[in-house]
Amino acid sequence: MSIQEAAERIAARGESAPRAARDAVNQAMVNNWVEAIGDRNPVYVDEEFAAASVHKGLVAPPAMAQVWTMGGLHWTRASDDPLGAMMEVLDEAGFTSVVATNSEQNYFRYLRHGERVAATAKLESVVGPKRTALGEGWFVTTKTTWYVGDEAVADMVFRVLKFRPPSAGPAKTAAPVLRPVISKDTEFFWTGLREGELRIQRWGETLRHPPGPMPPDGDFDAKPDYVFACGRGTVYSYVVHHHPKVPGKDLPFVVALVELEEGVRVMGELLDTDPETVRIGLPVEVAFVKIDEELTLPAWRVAR
Amino acid sequence: MKDCSVGTELPPLTIEATPTFVVSTALATRDFQDVHHDRDAAVQRGSKDIFLNILTDTGLVQRFVTDWAGPEAFVRSIKIRLGVPCYAYDTLTFTGRVTERDGDDVVVSVSGVDSLGEHVVGTVAITLGGE
């Protein structure tokens, strides 16, 4: 199952069951919070001031909405928690690190002491893979709503980036890839990829790719050597592969025919790129996708 | 009445993000992730030091706006996007300005910057209260 399919399945479950806050809204937790944050607003702590205010009594800081239902020190996620389920899927795919990127909270009213909130959560969207400064990753967006009884008192759209740290190495493939047939004529090319070199066959002055047994002019005595391509080029043509499934690949993916600065064209997957943004002429650079000790595939990334 | 016309700048707020600040805000927001209180664990996970958690940013942004708007301003929403981390020993400076005004409804755009760059940007929607 692809990451997208797993996300759709989790999103289709809708809202999780309500999780009740451990404690009702109380002055002790408010005091800790305002002291730590340095918030001296008297409506949270000064009973007399609060009674005379628009609130007609003490209220909790609205920004504490999420605090009431935080898990605490010894906590495990509920089994129907959509964020937890999505994190597991991405962990298994090698996207093991997480960082919060967005929090958008709406407060419908302030909470008062003695009220006990409960939260439900649902998965809104999973977008990726995206190339980010932290590494390749997926943006996971959830929506949480806090209730007192049946009344929604606050909600939050929360987005995290679940990413693969660059040091974590190549992507884990879910299934074996289709392997190329390596002949005596093409062996130098695959050996080069294993060593991080993009090698292009040369017959005299003429470069030729894909490599073959004969020079373009058909001289039987000619012997080829190769040059090291600089690895920069532009998209000459491309296809977006939606169907059928390909072993080891999440759909859709982009296959690009890239015209190198050296003048020859080389085919490979265009990695970490939204198919919508690909265009003829897009500058790209070579990438080396290590499948195992024997096989490294050439691929492309959008040039920075 | 406070000047809340579009373009009004809020008085800046400076926060010294001492280790005590980072740890006490993490615990006051009931966020026990080790990267917010355990330096060794934070370093092991690839961070320079412990760093502020997102619930604290929401709280700081709220404080920054209500310090200016007054204790009875009603906070309607806080929307923030995180940039670079705020590690212990850094200094965080909040600036903001009024970007929308419709009667008592005011939107303030907020930016919090530390030594690494923009740590948090966002908007806070409030309804002004009595003064």
Side-chain angles (χ1 to χ4, degrees):
Chain A
M1 184 165 37
S2 74
I3 288 170
Q4 286 293 1
E5 285 165 347
E8 279 163 28
R9 216 172 269 197
I10 293 166
R13 302 202 305 232
E15 285 202 332
S16 64
R19 278 185 306 111
R22 186 184 66 175
D23 303 297
V25 172
N26 66 84
Q27 193 67 53
M29 276 174 64
V30 170
N31 286 342
N32 275 339
W33 190 92
V34 297
E35 278 178 17
I37 298 285
D39 192 330
R40 293 188 182 79
N41 190 333
V43 299
Y44 309 137
V45 292
D46 182 334
E47 204 161 355
E48 217 171 297
F49 183 96
S53 76
V54 289
H55 298 296
K56 309 265 188 287
L58 286 167
V59 288
M64 280 186 77
Q66 191 182 358
V67 175
W68 305 111
T69 50
M70 287 292 282
L73 181 55
H74 302 293
W75 167 71
T76 48
R77 284 185 188 278
S79 59
D80 66 346
D81 179 87
L83 186 57
M86 199 60 227
M87 294 296 99
E88 273 177 32
V89 169
L90 289 167
D91 275 331
E92 277 172 27
F95 300 91
T96 50
S97 295
V98 67
V99 62
T101 64
N102 296 71
S103 162
E104 300 186 353
Q105 300 189 348
N106 295 296
Y107 314 110
F108 309 132
R109 68 169 176 81
Y110 283 30
L111 291 167
R112 291 172 185 279
H113 295 175
E115 290 186 315
R116 191 162 176 212
V117 295
T120 65
K122 63 176 179 178
L123 184 64
E124 292 251 299
S125 70
V126 177
V127 177
K130 297 276 186 189
R131 206 175 163 197
T132 76
L134 292 169
E136 186 189 6
W138 296 72
F139 288 97
V140 178
T141 305
T142 53
K143 183 168 183 181
T144 301
T145 306
W146 286 276
Y147 295 91
V148 172
D150 293 333
E151 182 193 6
V153 291
D155 68 20
M156 170 177 70
V157 171
F158 196 71
R159 186 168 303 130
V160 301
L161 170 64
K162 188 82 170 137
F163 63 100
R164 174 192 294 128
S167 59
K172 193 173 98 181
T173 46
V177 297
L178 297 172
R179 303 184 78 92
V181 174
I182 299 176
S183 70
K184 256 176 87 175
D185 298 316
T186 61
E187 194 179 4
F188 76 97
F189 176 75
W190 298 105
T191 303
L193 292 173
R194 279 205 300 273
E195 293 170 13
E197 297 166 358
L198 183 58
R199 298 176 179 177
I200 304 296
Q201 193 180 48
R202 176 168 66 179
W203 299 85
E205 294 300 301
T206 308
L207 298 182
R208 174 179 178 168
H209 189 87
M214 293 270 285
D217 60 7
D219 176 358
F220 284 103
D221 296 328
K223 290 268 181 280
D225 60 358
Y226 56 80
V227 297
F228 302 108
C230 70
R232 290 187 301 271
T234 55
V235 172
Y236 182 81
S237 182
Y238 67 96
V239 293
V240 180
H241 184 105
H242 293 275
H243 187 79
K245 288 186 174 181
V246 177
K249 291 281 166 214
D250 287 330
L251 302 180
F253 61 93
V254 180
V255 178
L257 180 63
V258 167
E259 181 153 291
L260 293 178
E261 287 182 3
E262 288 81 3
V264 292
R265 296 172 196 151
V266 181
M267 190 96 84
E269 185 180 352
L270 185 51
L271 303 170
D272 309 340
T273 305
D274 181 352
E276 300 282 316
T277 64
V278 182
R279 56 182 170 79
I280 306 294
L282 184 70
V284 296
E285 54 198 22
V286 72
F288 301 95
V289 178
K290 183 175 177 178
I291 303 300
D292 52 36
E293 289 309 311
E294 289 298 308
L295 178 63
T296 296
L297 295 175
W300 308 102
R301 289 188 197 278
V302 177
R304 291 212 200 226
Chain B
M1 186 72 189
K2 181 178 292 293
D3 182 9
C4 295
S5 54
V6 171
T8 300
E9 302 273 341
L10 277 63
L13 171 66
T14 301
I15 300 285
E16 296 301 335
T18 62
T20 300
F21 182 79
V22 175
V23 173
S24 58
T25 52
L27 300 191
T29 54
R30 283 176 57 73
D31 184 344
F32 294 88
Q33 297 278 344
D34 54 18
V35 288
H36 304 308
H37 65 257
D38 182 336
R39 187 182 195 179
D40 292 344
V43 169
Q44 207 166 27
R45 290 175 192 275
S47 293
K48 193 177 88 179
D49 206 323
I50 54 171
F51 54 91
L52 279 186
N53 75 336
I54 193 167
L55 285 80
T56 296
D57 286 310
T58 303
L60 288 174
V61 166
Q62 174 181 280
R63 172 192 159 187
F64 171 60
V65 172
T66 54
D67 278 359
W68 164 78
E72 296 188 64
F74 185 104
V75 180
R76 302 274 175 197
S77 70
I78 301 175
K79 300 179 180 180
I80 58 171
R81 184 163 52 81
L82 292 190
V84 296
C86 181
Y87 291 117
Y89 300 104
D90 210 335
T91 301
L92 195 52
T93 304
F94 287 94
T95 55
R97 54 189 277 276
V98 176
T99 52
E100 288 174 46
R101 170 93 199 248
D102 180 9
D104 283 342
D105 291 330
V106 171
V107 176
V108 179
S109 83
V110 176
S111 163
V113 172
D114 64 27
S115 68
L116 299 176
E118 195 149 59
H119 167 63
V120 57
V121 287
T123 58
V124 180
I126 58 170
T127 302
L128 298 170
E131 279 199 30

